[in-house]
Amino acid sequence: MNEMVITREQREARLEGMGCKRKRVEDIRFTQGKGNYVDDLKLPGMLHGDFVRSQYGHARIKRIDAAKARALPGVIAVLTADDLKPLGLHWMPTLAGDVQAVLADGKVHFQNQEIAFVVAENRYVADDAIQLVEVEYEELPVLVDPFKALDPDAPELRPDLAGKTVGAHGPRKHHNHIFEWTVGDRAATDEAFNRADVTIKEMISYQRVHPSPLETCQCVASFDKIKGELTVHGTFQAPHVIRTVASLLSKIPEHKIHVVAPDIGGGFGNKVGAYSGYICAIVATIVTGQPVKWVEDRIENLSTTSFARDYHMTTEIAATKDGKVTGLRVHVLADHGAFDACADPSKWPAGFFNIVTGSYDFPVAHLAVDGVYTNKAPGGVAYRCSFRVTEAAYCIERAMDILAHKLGLDPAELRLRNFVRRDQFPYQSALGWEYDSGDYDTAMRKAMDAVGYAELRAEQARRREAFRRGETREIMGIGVSFFTEIVGAGPSKNCDILGVAMFDSAEIRIHPTGSIIARMGSKSQGQGHETTWAQIIATELGIPADDIMIEEGNTDTAPYGLGTYGSRSTPVTGAAIAMAARKIKAKAQMIAAHLLEVSEYDLEWDIDGFRVKGNPERAKTMKEIAWAAYNSPPPGLEPGLEAVNYYDPPNMTYPFGAYICVMDIDVDTGVATTRRFYALDDCGTRINPMIIEGQVHGGLTEAFAIAMGQEIRYDELGNVIGASFMDFFLPTAVETPVWETDFTVTPSPHHPIGAKGVGESPNVGGVPCFSNAVNDAFSFLGATHIQMPHDAWRLWQAAQDLGA
Amino acid sequence: MIPGTFVYHRPGTVQEAVALLADHGEEARPLAGGHSLIPMMKLRMAAPEHLVDLRGIGALKTIAEDGGDIVIGAAVTQAQAIASDLLAARLPIIRGTALQIADPQIRYLGTLGGNVANGDPGNDMPAVMQCLGARYVAEGPDGVREIPAAEFYLGPYATALAPAEILTAIRVPAPPAGHGWAYEKLKRKVGDYATAAAAVVLTLAAGKVATCAIALTNLGPTPLLANAAAAGLVGSNLAPADVKAAADAAKAITDPAGDGRGPPAYRREMAGVMVARALTRAAQRAANGA
Ligand SMILES: Cc1cc2nc3c(=O)[nH]c(=O)nc-3n(C[C@H](O)[C@H](O)[C@H](O)COP(=O)(O)OP(=O)(O)OC[C@H]3O[C@@H](n4cnc5c(N)ncnc54)[C@H](O)[C@@H]3O)c2cc1C
């Protein structure tokens, strides 16, 4: 009866569909400590593996003696490269077309590299055994400075590649050279520089950092000898890709491999790749016939599995004297560590770094990236960003500020003069992208109004005078950044991983009573997919989100997908969900027509079902249609109500945003305090505003950490410094600034629901915003560019150097 | 990050604890809150075979007044110290410093005795105890003795405690009412040890410094009592030039290591800044009668 009096608004509201601030359904278990993580898994007879790791950054291994370790009670096996060799598994291919030692093969290339894998009855015995493995080294000269990698007399780091003059991405010009990647029109760019009124040039470094999810990388591998089946539970952002790689490497047919990613405690790019731990656990379970667990500790995580950034970007802009940019030239020296294990789409050795023209209408640009080997951990992952997009955004946003400074123009004003205009979309960038949609001018002006930009600049002028008069030892910086991201990898025409095109998928199955189970090829690591995917389906199919169960991560049940990273889930999986829902809707319409005895064309969709046009009393809800789909389908139509969609996106999506930061710096100590941080994000259609806000808060906190302190540093001997949370800066709530969030909405024209993705925007836009604030603070003292991280001692040093 | 094998003991009295330590010699270590020792064991930088947990000994958990001294049991946690009305009233610098140690979770377990017995130059309490003229009460197979905090620290993780001796209490002569105090600590984040920190306890008479003690944390192999810096201030009215002279004198005795917190030059400079700020704040407190 109540059904009859319910209003349209109530019907709409109870769906909790798109646009609703629906509470995260996964949080019920997370906040009660009832999540189910890899390390919670305990299988009968499960063994524990752990690594003997290199003390040195670069050394020959003269001898490994594991006899004492093998003799320790409770030790089952100690694997070295020699044990993996007969299986062909002592080296593995990387996602970037290089190879990587699974266990050091005669040589170590970086400190903490895996040398031997100890398998024992428990973690304690495994660690005791590690102390007993004797490794004799002969030290080799260490190379940690990427700027010295290509010196003629630089030590040769990869003798395994000797004589290989062509790598996966073209010619190699030196024994430590990996690739050179160039994009753009060099001659036209040179010409723009020749004719420019004003040019700037700066070497802008983005230091080596680490994604550092709270849960480290881990897996449990379990081989059933009778069935010949392998099950691997692991912290995988891309479980299907892991299954394919495991099959290719182990030669176990793909259908006999079951990869399961349970709840994941953060990924941020760290959990995309395949690591030695996975391979060794798989080999160990096959050898022993018992399940083997491998769990990284914090130091191992920070010092071995996947660093990010380490890009050194020599950046030049040409401009007219009234502040119109006319050309961009960038050369990047990319430090990839000991193996090229970047997790980029295969054809993109520097990811999508060619988004480096940013939000500005550069008529010409040229980019060259040289990748080099050093004695550091491999990786180069997209730490909460689409591939190398954070580096690109940092590069252009710092460079625009440097140009503004040189021209004596306000940094916001310079940006306004150079934005790609709204009427230029779809916009072809000088480095080859087609930006889908944007309204930069509106976003920038909204941000400036929101913070009272003009008044902030006036205050800054007053405070600079007071500083000059010696009345204060504090300086004030205003950071502006305007970023354009490129996410949603990606169209099969240019994006694949190991040959697998970067589509994604969704399968939706409606049960007879009208509730739903839906499975996707993506994999949440905290993004809230269980909540938001249900909201898309709720709006598309008129079934309340609470009646929709979302399942990801089990490769046996989920359709094949490329996983979650690079903000690709909403642009690609989100689209697949909408398209699968629309297939169902089309069939539902046929069924409704049959039930209502009208033609399909006489029906229209109305919130949660179909009604007869002009006769809204005659209607069938989706729930009724579902029952009929199974039990009384129209003659000739197969029963059931489900659909699968594999979505190959026609283009990337291009979220953007305007961020402004106000910072005060005590020059006597170098301590910086963020007074205010305002973030306006435009991610197109907003599925769940609360989740967007949460993503922005998290991403900004990481941006703050990166800009203001994070660094994985190596000393000249190749020792990794600061690979623990005592040193690696993970801010607590006390240090974290208060975030103000805002938005505009410019839907993507090519995406079924117009959504662009937001998870990574704040990291991309936040880092330059903080760094620009710091640089802006010091600019009146003569600073042009101060390198990150902006921790207290470096800011104090900057103040000293500037005579403050 | 997995410790080696050890045997766990939980004695109920100081005498039992001392006997256990004496029995097992070098292989045994007292365990208090475990928040310095256990991280070292996980890194296998320490591998004791016997842990003698002192937290079962009720006598070590009290804070009391005894004559002119405040006596703090070695197993009093940092959280307990923060909550103590007696300390808040008589030794506010202990509360003020404890609040700057790590985070609440660590302070619920970490003890004052462990903090001062540990011998890590990064620990905050030792400098404060030196500033206050505290004495550590030690009990071992040969009986009970008192060791001045100023003489306790010999080098990183090296202290005047003899093998099998445990620290049972810290005796602090209560400073006069109305004294000024400050603990200024520069750190990178919550949970970090000091880049540089300075403790100051002073009294004023007619606007001039009557007594003053200054000590420094994490600026050398041990906590540093900056006697010359403090002596130079007696009789002064803490004019900017006086404060600067004291800061410079304090800086002169530092020998900081370079680490992720900054190079030695920065940390030495920060020693001066912290001393100056601590003096100013302590003087304000003294002037306000708090
Ligand atoms: C993340 C983190 C951050 C921290 N930050 C700070 C900080 O900012 N400032 C700071 O001061 N400390 C800090 N600490 C250390 C913390 O305060 C410790 O609790 C303290 O240093 C040691 O006290 P405990 O009770 O935990 O001692 P334990 O760790 O149990 O013992 C430490 C050492 O003292 C010995 N010992 C303990 N009690 C006695 C006794 N009664 N007699 C003789 N020997 C004894 C032990 O054998 C051991 O060698 C931090 C710790 C962590 C984990």
Side-chain angles (χ1 to χ4, degrees), chain A residues 305-561:
Chain A
T305 45
S306 288
F307 77 92
R309 328 297 192 221
D310 219 341
Y311 256 36
H312 308 279
M313 309 172 285
T314 302
T315 311
E316 297 170 82
I317 299 181
T320 63
K321 56 182 177 307
D322 55 350
K324 278 294 279 182
V325 297
T326 55
L328 174 70
R329 195 157 54 195
V330 183
H331 178 267
V332 180
L333 183 66
D335 185 340
H336 285 230
F339 309 100
D340 186 10
C342 286
D344 294 320
S346 303
K347 295 189 195 78
W348 300 88
F352 304 151
F353 188 84
N354 54 329
I355 191 74
V356 69
T357 53
S359 314
Y360 314 106
D361 188 13
F362 278 95
V364 290
H366 186 259
L367 162 68
V369 183
D370 277 300
V372 298
Y373 292 120
T374 58
N375 288 123
K376 302 181 190 169
V381 297
Y383 166 8
R384 204 178 187 140
C385 69
S386 193
F387 315 98
R388 301 293 189 184
V389 173
T390 354
E391 288 92 326
Y394 183 62
C395 175
I396 187 63
E397 288 305 295
R398 270 307 300 133
M400 288 300 276
D401 262 31
I402 293 167
L403 177 64
H405 186 53
K406 180 149 185 182
L407 289 166
L409 267 180
D410 184 90
E413 175 58 31
L414 178 71
R415 285 171 171 80
L416 287 166
R417 285 187 196 178
N418 288 288
F419 279 145
V420 175
R421 292 185 324 273
R422 199 170 131 171
D423 57 22
Q424 286 176 286
F425 291 93
Y427 171 79
Q428 303 293 332
S429 81
L431 292 177
W433 295 115
E434 181 181 297
Y435 294 19
D436 59 350
S437 63
D439 183 356
Y440 299 164
D441 201 84
T442 302
M444 187 76 231
R445 289 184 197 279
K446 185 173 180 184
M448 291 167 74
D449 286 348
V451 300
Y453 189 73
E455 173 43 37
L456 284 172
R457 285 289 174 202
E459 181 196 343
Q460 184 184 43
R462 291 194 297 275
R463 293 183 46 155
R464 285 177 170 177
E465 283 314 309
F467 184 86
R468 287 203 173 95
R469 290 193 299 268
E471 291 163 14
T472 173
R473 296 292 289 154
E474 224 176 51
I475 55 177
M476 171 180 171
I478 304 168
V480 175
S481 81
F482 196 101
F483 65 93
T484 294
E485 260 204 296
I486 169 168
V487 306
S492 58
K493 61 176 183 275
N494 52 19
C495 290
D496 69 87
I497 286 183
L498 298 174
V500 183
M502 293 183 74
F503 57 82
D504 223 290
S505 60
E507 178 197 278
I508 303 174
R509 184 178 300 170
I510 307 196
H511 304 310
T513 53
S515 66
I516 290 178
I517 179 148
R519 299 185 172 103
M520 291 82 191
S522 49
K523 174 61 203 165
S524 182
Q525 309 121 43
Q527 292 89 339
H529 290 177
E530 287 168 52
T531 307
T532 47
W533 291 165
Q535 289 182 260
I536 297 177
I537 299 173
T539 295
E540 291 285 339
L541 291 179
I543 300 282
D546 277 347
D547 293 345
I548 303 169
M549 163 100 84
I550 302 295
E551 219 183 72
E552 295 177 318
N554 185 335
T555 53
D556 284 346
T557 51
Y560 201 107

Side-chain angles (χ1 to χ4, degrees), chain A residues 128 666 669 727 730 735, chain B residues 44 188-190 266 270 277:
Chain A
D128 289 343
D666 172 351
T669 57
D727 282 311
L730 216 64
E735 291 80 36
Chain B
R44 301 211 180 208
R188 294 171 295 181
K189 57 171 274 189
V190 163
Y266 172 66
M270 291 310 102
R277 290 183 182 179

Side-chain angles (χ1 to χ4, degrees), chain A residues 726, chain B residues 21 28-40 51 54 60 74-76 78 100-103 106-107 109-120 122-126 157 161 165-169 185 187 190-194 217:
Chain A
M726 188 52 88
Chain B
L21 290 169
R29 284 280 278 278
L31 172 74
H35 270 58
S36 289
L37 183 53
I38 290 176
M40 286 193 283
L51 280 185
L54 305 179
L60 300 183
V76 166
Q78 293 149 15
Q100 297 182 61
I101 294 178
D103 53 46
I106 289 166
R107 299 197 293 253
L109 284 167
T111 65
L112 286 192
N115 199 290
V116 301
N118 192 32
D120 179 340
N123 280 130
D124 289 303
M125 283 298 171
Y157 301 102
L161 271 188
E165 235 179 1
I166 62 174
L167 198 150
T168 55
K185 177 178 177 182
K187 59 183 172 184
V190 163
D192 193 18
Y193 292 91
T217 297

Side-chain angles (χ1 to χ4, degrees), chain A residues 772-794:
Chain A
N772 282 347
V774 166
N775 277 283
D776 183 69
F778 283 103
S779 64
F780 79 114
L781 299 169
T784 310
H785 175 67
I786 300 168
Q787 303 285 16
M788 293 193 292
H790 302 305
D791 50 5
W793 82 261
R794 286 178 172 93

Side-chain angles (χ1 to χ4, degrees), chain B residues 152-182:
Chain B
F152 187 76
Y153 300 97
L154 309 177
Y157 301 102
T159 69
L161 271 188
E165 235 179 1
I166 62 174
L167 198 150
T168 55
I170 304 167
R171 292 192 82 100
V172 189
H179 71 281
W181 62 275

